[in-house]
């Protein structure tokens, strides 16, 4: 869809205005002030230390407004530099306090008190400049005669000439007094580049500067560099960062006029362009035309990702800095909106690529992170679901602690937090007595604890069966008669609705591969599949032992007509080869949770005796293992590569006689989207550049 030129002008900014600037002669800084005031500039710069705000002892001078003007500082007619003139407007704030003697004795005060009221006011005004990579502070001394000292009235201004800065740079200015009686003033000034200066012939660095324009063609953006064919210049695209150095994205040395096309999906607010002639000491012109582009802001949030680092720590990964705040929320089973846990927790300011922590004691799959910007929800991810499994039918109890060991409990529900015990008609209120018993007996999981309260996750699924036990018993006789008639006809339909059982076996090569397996299992749970994996059954695995646990799971899965998925990795192939070479003795046990190693004693007989086809399938991840690396014995069943063969893999997991669903491709795309962040994190850990994410032509091959 073509972009209207009016909207494009709003997104890219107006054409540069040609400025005619005043010229200052000489290299020395100077200051002057309004009539009636006296001012003096310190000979040397000072340290930029604002200090804390202190109470004013009486009337003081305070900066009220900053005004800037661009000028040229010239050594000679054709040798000038761009300079920033700053005017600080001052006013009298505060007043004299009435002496205690005057209040006590009816107005007769010591005549010596009157002298300060008739005296002049002095102030030390600091101007602080920051223009990457330069920073400096100057001190201006100002004196105001007593005749101009009137509370709340402006007394004039003091002007500083001048701060030299690079063309096209952004200058941040602060002003305050020493000592500091009020909050400092601040102002940001964007300096023009050579295109906007009428006197660019007087600035040597502008003489050979390429001419850069930005235009649009439909959804794409063109960078047009109108220079001569003999002109050599460099062009760089980078992400400008508020803190730290810029992140380069693409760079090339070019010759002659060029038109470079950017796809609209590459635009983000901090994408900037730098161009300079390939000559010694040449000036580099920077332009960041997409700061207000709505498409760039949409792309920024689409590229943002939340990453769980440990149980408590996570970070927001995004190309640009952005104003955002985050909080934990609780997502109940059943599709209800995620409810922010504020209070008792609070919103936390988020900084891109900075590790943040929530004070959690335990993780839970129903805990999610919400990220808001400008009071609008932008991101929501349940970071703990990949490692802890799908959402659980648990209720969250909020404990509030008061003085004298008083405490109250409520259950978080879509309608609000229901006090326990309660006579309300909600589900948590009806089961409130049982929930309190579980809390006292230690059956609830404590997620957070503080002096003011705590959060507990209590299971609810067992109470559903207890509540309806009598109802089911009353209907059992009638249902049994109908079941005998409809059992054979509806057996297949019930199995399809319930979902086929799938047992996922893998070798725990490392923690990163375990997170990848957890992401795959969670994604498969969103389909009509009942997935079992040792990641989600650590307690049972430790209690029963790996061999007993796997044998029970395999027998139940195959009896229900399910399928066993062998997920091959380099470690799994090595274990299989070791077993086949050692024969009957088998490999040694390594660790209490290695179900794959323990499962080989039950898996191999099924393959050796020809019982595996129809009950087993194999899979491996692209770029991690080639299917030909799987031992030949296990290739008697289909072996799929993921995610490239997801449709065929999901088709093999369906019921044997189930018709091939027309939604299979849609489900494969759903699983692929859920799996992609885990694949990116595994193959491209945080801090390493991912291929294919460059912008501009020839991304990734910059010189």
């Amino acid at each position: 869809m073509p972009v209207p030129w009016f909207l494009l002008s709003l997104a890219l900014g107006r054409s540069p205005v040609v400025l005619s600037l005043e010229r200052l002669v000489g290299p020395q800084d100077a200051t002057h002030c309004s009539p009636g005031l006296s001012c003096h500039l310190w000979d040397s710069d000072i340290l930029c230390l604002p200090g804390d705000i202190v109470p004013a002892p009486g009337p003081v001078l305070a900066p009220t407004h900053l005004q800037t003007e661009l000028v040229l500082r010239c050594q000679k007619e054709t040798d000038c530099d761009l300079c920033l003139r700053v005017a600080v407007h001052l006013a009298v704030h505060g007043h004299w306090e009435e002496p205690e003697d005057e209040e006590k004795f009816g107005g007769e005060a010591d005549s010596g008190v009157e002298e300060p009221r008739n005296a002049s006011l002095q102030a030390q005004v600091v101007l602080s400049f920051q223009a990457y990579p330069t920073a400096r502070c100057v001190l201006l001394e100002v004196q105001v005669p007593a005749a101009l000292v009137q509370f709340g009235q402006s007394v004039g201004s003091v002007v500083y000439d001048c701060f030299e800065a690079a063309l096209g740079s952004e200058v941040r200015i602060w002003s305050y007094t020493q000592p500091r009686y009020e909050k400092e003033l601040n102002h940001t000034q964007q300096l023009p580049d050579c295109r906007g200066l009428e006197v660019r012939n007087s600035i040597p660095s502008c003489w050979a500067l390429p001419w850069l324009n930005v235009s649009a063609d439909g959804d794409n953006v063109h960078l047009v560099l109108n220079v001569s064919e003999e002109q050599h210049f460099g062009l760089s695209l980078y992400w400008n960062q508020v803190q730290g150095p810029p992140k380069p994205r693409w760079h090339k040395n070019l010759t002659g006029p060029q038109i470079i096309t950017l796809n609209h999906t590459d635009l983000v607010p901090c994408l900037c362009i730098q161009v300079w002639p390939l000559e010694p000491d040449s000036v580099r012109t920077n332009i960041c035309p997409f700061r207000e582009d709505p498409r760039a802001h949409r792309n920024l949030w689409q590229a943002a990702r939340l990453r769980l680092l440990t149980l408590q720590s996570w970070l927001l990964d995004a190309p640009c800095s952005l104003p955002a705040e985050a909080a934990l929320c609780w997502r109940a089973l059943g599709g209800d909106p995620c409810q922010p846990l504020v209070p008792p927790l609070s919103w936390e300011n988020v900084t891109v690529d900075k590790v943040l922590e929530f004070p959690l004691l335990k993780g839970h799959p129903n805990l999610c992170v919400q990220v808001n910007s400008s009071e609008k929800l932008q991101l929501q991810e349940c970071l703990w679901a990949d490692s802890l499994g799908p959402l659980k039918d648990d209720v969250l109890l909020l404990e509030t602690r008061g003085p004298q060991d008083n405490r109250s409990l409520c259950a978080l529900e879509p309608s609000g937090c229901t006090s326990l015990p309660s006579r309300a008609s909600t589900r948590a209120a009806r089961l409130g007595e049982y929930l309190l018993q579980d809390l006292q007996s230690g059956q609830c999981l404590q997620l957070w604890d503080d002096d003011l309260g705590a959060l507990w996750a209590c299971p609810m699924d067992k109470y559903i069966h207890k509540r309806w036990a009598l109802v089911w018993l009353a209907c059992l006789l009638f249902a049994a008669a109908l079941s005998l008639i409809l059992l054979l006809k509806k057996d297949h339909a019930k199995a399809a609705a319930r979902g086929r059982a799938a047992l996922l076996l893998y070798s725990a090569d490392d923690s990163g591969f375990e997170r990848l397996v957890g992401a795959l299992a969670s994604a498969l749970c969103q389909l009509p599949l009942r997935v079992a994996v040792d990641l989600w059954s650590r307690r049972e695995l430790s209690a029963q032992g790996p061999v007993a646990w796997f044998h029970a799971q395999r027998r139940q899965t195959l009896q229900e007509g399910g399928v066993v998925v062998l997920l091959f990795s380099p470690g799994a192939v090595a274990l299989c080869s070791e077993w086949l070479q050692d024969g009957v003795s088998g490999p040694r046990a390594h660790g209490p949770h290695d179900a794959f190693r323990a499962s080989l004693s039950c898996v191999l007989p099924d393959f050796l005796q020809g019982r595996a086809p129809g009950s087993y399938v194999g899979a491996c991840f692209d770029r991690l293992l080639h299917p030909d690396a799987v031992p030949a014995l296990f290739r008697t069943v289909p072996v799929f590569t993921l995610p490239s063969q997801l449709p065929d893999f999901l088709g093999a997991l369906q019921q044997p006689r189930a018709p091939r669903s027309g939604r299979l491709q849609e489900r494969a795309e759903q699983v692929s989207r859920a799996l992609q962040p885990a694949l990116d994190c595994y193959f491209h850990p945080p801090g390493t550049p991912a291929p294919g994410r460059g912008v501009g032509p020839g991304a990734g091959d910059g010189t």
Side-chain angles (χ1 to χ4, degrees):
M1 176 179 176
V3 180
W5 280 105
F6 173 72
L7 296 181
L8 184 68
S9 66
L10 294 179
L12 302 184
R14 300 178 178 178
S15 300
V17 178
V18 177
L19 302 176
S20 178
L21 305 181
E22 177 185 344
R23 295 170 180 261
L24 303 178
V25 179
Q28 298 298 325
D29 293 349
T31 184
H32 57 275
C33 44
S34 301
L37 307 185
S38 60
C39 51
H40 170 70
L41 173 66
W42 274 38
D43 295 335
S44 59
D45 292 354
I46 65 171
L47 294 177
C48 302
L49 299 173
D52 297 328
I53 296 177
V54 298
V60 294
L61 290 179
T64 59
H65 177 62
L66 293 178
Q67 188 174 358
T68 59
E69 180 185 0
L70 294 176
V71 296
L72 290 179
R73 172 174 282 171
C74 302
Q75 304 299 323
K76 55 184 178 179
E77 183 69 21
T78 59
D79 186 8
C80 300
D81 293 304
L82 192 62
C83 212
L84 188 62
R85 170 185 290 166
V86 181
V88 183
H89 294 265
L90 302 170
V92 178
H93 290 179
H95 55 84
W96 291 111
E97 296 182 358
E98 293 295 334
E100 295 183 1
D101 292 342
E102 182 175 347
E103 296 179 0
K104 183 174 181 179
F105 299 106
E108 294 185 4
D110 189 354
S111 59
V113 178
E114 295 295 333
E115 294 180 2
R117 301 192 184 201
N118 297 325
S120 61
L121 285 183
Q122 294 183 349
Q124 291 184 334
V125 180
V126 178
L127 280 176
S128 173
F129 300 92
Q130 288 189 7
Y132 184 82
T134 304
R136 59 178 299 202
C137 286
V138 298
L139 182 64
L140 311 176
E141 290 186 335
V142 185
Q143 184 171 358
V144 180
L148 298 179
V149 178
Q150 296 184 14
F151 170 68
Q153 297 296 319
S154 174
V155 297
S157 61
V158 57
V159 179
Y160 167 71
D161 281 330
C162 60
F163 175 73
E164 294 184 15
L167 294 166
S169 63
E170 183 181 78
V171 181
R172 298 183 179 183
I173 311 167
W174 289 267
S175 179
Y176 51 89
T177 59
Q178 283 189 342
R180 188 160 67 100
Y181 302 118
E182 298 181 358
K183 184 178 180 181
E184 64 269 18
L185 295 179
N186 65 82
H187 177 76
T188 301
Q189 177 75 39
Q190 180 67 47
L191 301 189
D193 54 29
C194 294
R195 299 175 304 159
L197 296 175
E198 184 184 55
V199 291
R200 56 179 174 267
N201 291 334
S202 300
I203 302 178
S205 58
C206 290
W207 293 348
L209 187 68
W211 192 272
L212 172 65
N213 288 304
V214 182
S215 62
D217 180 16
D219 285 341
N220 296 325
V221 173
H222 292 325
L223 308 182
V224 182
L225 291 104
N226 187 16
V227 297
S228 64
E229 295 183 358
E230 297 81 14
Q231 177 71 55
H232 302 278
F233 59 91
L235 180 69
S236 175
L237 302 181
Y238 63 94
W239 287 344
N240 190 32
Q241 304 296 304
V242 174
Q243 296 181 346
K247 295 181 180 179
R249 305 299 300 163
W250 180 77
H251 165 74
K252 270 193 175 180
N253 294 333
L254 303 171
T255 304
Q258 293 282 343
I259 298 179
I260 298 178
T261 301
L262 300 179
N263 191 287
H264 71 94
T265 58
D266 297 330
L267 306 182
V268 291
C270 62
L271 179 63
C272 299
I273 308 158
Q274 187 179 78
V275 60
W276 67 98
L278 296 179
E279 299 177 359
D281 300 326
S282 60
V283 66
R284 299 195 176 200
T285 298
N286 297 274
I287 180 174
C288 303
F290 310 109
R291 290 175 177 171
E292 305 300 329
D293 192 333
R295 297 173 301 174
H297 285 272
R298 287 195 298 268
N299 293 340
L300 175 59
W301 282 111
Q302 290 174 0
R305 293 289 182 270
L306 298 178
R307 293 187 180 182
L308 182 66
L309 304 179
T310 64
L311 169 66
Q312 297 178 325
S313 62
W314 60 281
L315 61 81
L316 174 63
D317 184 11
C320 311
S321 300
L322 41 82
E325 55 183 5
L328 286 175
C329 65
W330 178 265
R331 185 179 178 186
L333 185 66
D336 292 324
C338 200
Q339 296 175 272
L341 300 180
V342 180
L345 303 180
S346 60
W347 289 98
E348 299 290 342
N349 292 329
V350 178
T351 302
V352 172
D353 293 334
K354 180 180 179 181
V355 177
L356 301 172
E357 292 188 355
F358 283 122
L360 292 176
L361 300 177
K362 298 286 185 180
H364 195 282
N366 295 38
L367 281 176
C368 307
V369 177
Q370 286 184 340
V371 179
N372 285 9
S373 180
S374 300
E375 299 183 354
K376 180 181 179 182
L377 178 62
Q378 299 288 358
L379 277 179
Q380 177 178 300
E381 293 188 26
C382 301
L383 299 178
W384 293 269
D386 287 344
S387 58
L388 299 179
L391 298 180
K392 295 183 179 181
D393 190 14
D394 290 1
V395 63
L396 187 70
L397 298 186
L398 171 59
E399 178 184 350
T400 303
R401 297 167 183 165
Q404 300 179 354
D405 296 332
N406 292 330
R407 71 171 189 167
S408 60
L409 285 167
C410 66
L412 190 63
E413 297 186 283
S415 58
C417 206
T418 304
S419 299
L420 297 181
S422 173
R423 296 183 179 180
S425 58
T426 63
R427 185 175 75 154
R430 291 191 296 267
L431 301 174
E433 181 180 350
Y434 300 105
L435 291 173
L436 294 177
Q437 291 176 359
D438 283 352
L439 181 62
Q440 295 175 357
S441 61
Q443 298 184 38
C444 296
L445 180 66
Q446 188 174 18
L447 306 179
W448 171 77
D449 186 45
D450 189 86
D451 294 338
L452 301 179
L455 294 176
W456 307 80
C458 300
M460 290 283 287
D461 50 357
K462 60 182 180 180
Y463 299 119
I464 303 300
H465 302 291
K466 290 182 179 179
R467 179 172 179 82
W468 295 103
L470 295 178
V471 178
W472 283 114
L473 184 60
C475 300
L476 185 60
L477 293 177
F478 178 76
L482 291 178
S483 298
L484 291 175
I485 301 173
L486 302 176
L487 180 61
L488 295 178
K489 293 183 179 181
K490 295 190 176 180
D491 181 73
H492 177 70
K494 288 181 179 179
R498 186 184 179 196
R500 192 181 188 189
L503 176 60
L504 188 59
L505 300 178
Y506 69 100
S507 173
D509 292 4
D510 53 52
S511 60
F513 188 72
E514 282 192 310
R515 287 194 292 269
L516 188 57
V517 172
L520 175 62
S522 297
L524 294 178
C525 285
Q526 307 302 320
L527 308 177
L529 289 172
R530 291 178 290 112
V531 180
V533 63
D534 66 337
L535 270 175
W536 303 341
S537 305
R538 295 296 198 195
R539 183 178 301 175
E540 295 85 352
L541 191 69
S542 299
Q544 301 176 17
V547 175
W549 181 86
F550 168 75
H551 182 71
Q553 293 293 329
R554 169 188 165 276
R555 179 176 57 188
Q556 180 180 352
T557 300
L558 297 182
Q559 286 178 351
E560 295 177 0
V563 60
V564 178
V565 180
L566 300 177
L567 190 57
F568 289 100
S569 64
V573 170
L575 291 176
C576 294
S577 301
E578 180 184 350
W579 183 285
L580 293 174
Q581 291 173 2
D582 291 351
V584 178
S585 63
R588 300 177 303 275
H590 289 69
H593 303 314
D594 198 346
F596 185 85
R597 185 187 296 271
S599 67
L600 290 177
S601 61
C602 299
V603 168
L604 283 175
D606 290 342
F607 281 85
L608 294 173
Q609 298 174 19
R611 298 194 303 266
S615 300
Y616 289 77
V617 296
C620 58
F621 290 105
D622 294 323
R623 296 186 290 169
L624 184 62
L625 186 72
H626 195 277
D628 293 340
V630 177
L633 176 64
F634 296 94
R635 279 186 270 129
T636 57
V637 300
V639 178
F640 304 96
T641 59
L642 307 180
S644 59
Q645 293 183 332
L646 263 175
D648 296 333
F649 176 66
L650 298 182
L653 298 184
Q654 288 185 329
Q655 296 285 354
R657 293 180 299 277
R660 194 173 183 87
S661 172
R663 298 180 57 193
L664 196 59
Q665 183 63 34
E666 178 182 347
R667 291 174 177 173
E669 294 176 357
Q670 176 185 350
V671 174
S672 179
R673 286 194 300 269
L675 191 59
Q676 194 60 47
L679 287 170
D680 292 341
C681 188
Y682 183 79
F683 291 107
H684 305 287
T688 61
R693 292 188 64 182
V695 297
D701 61 350
T703 60

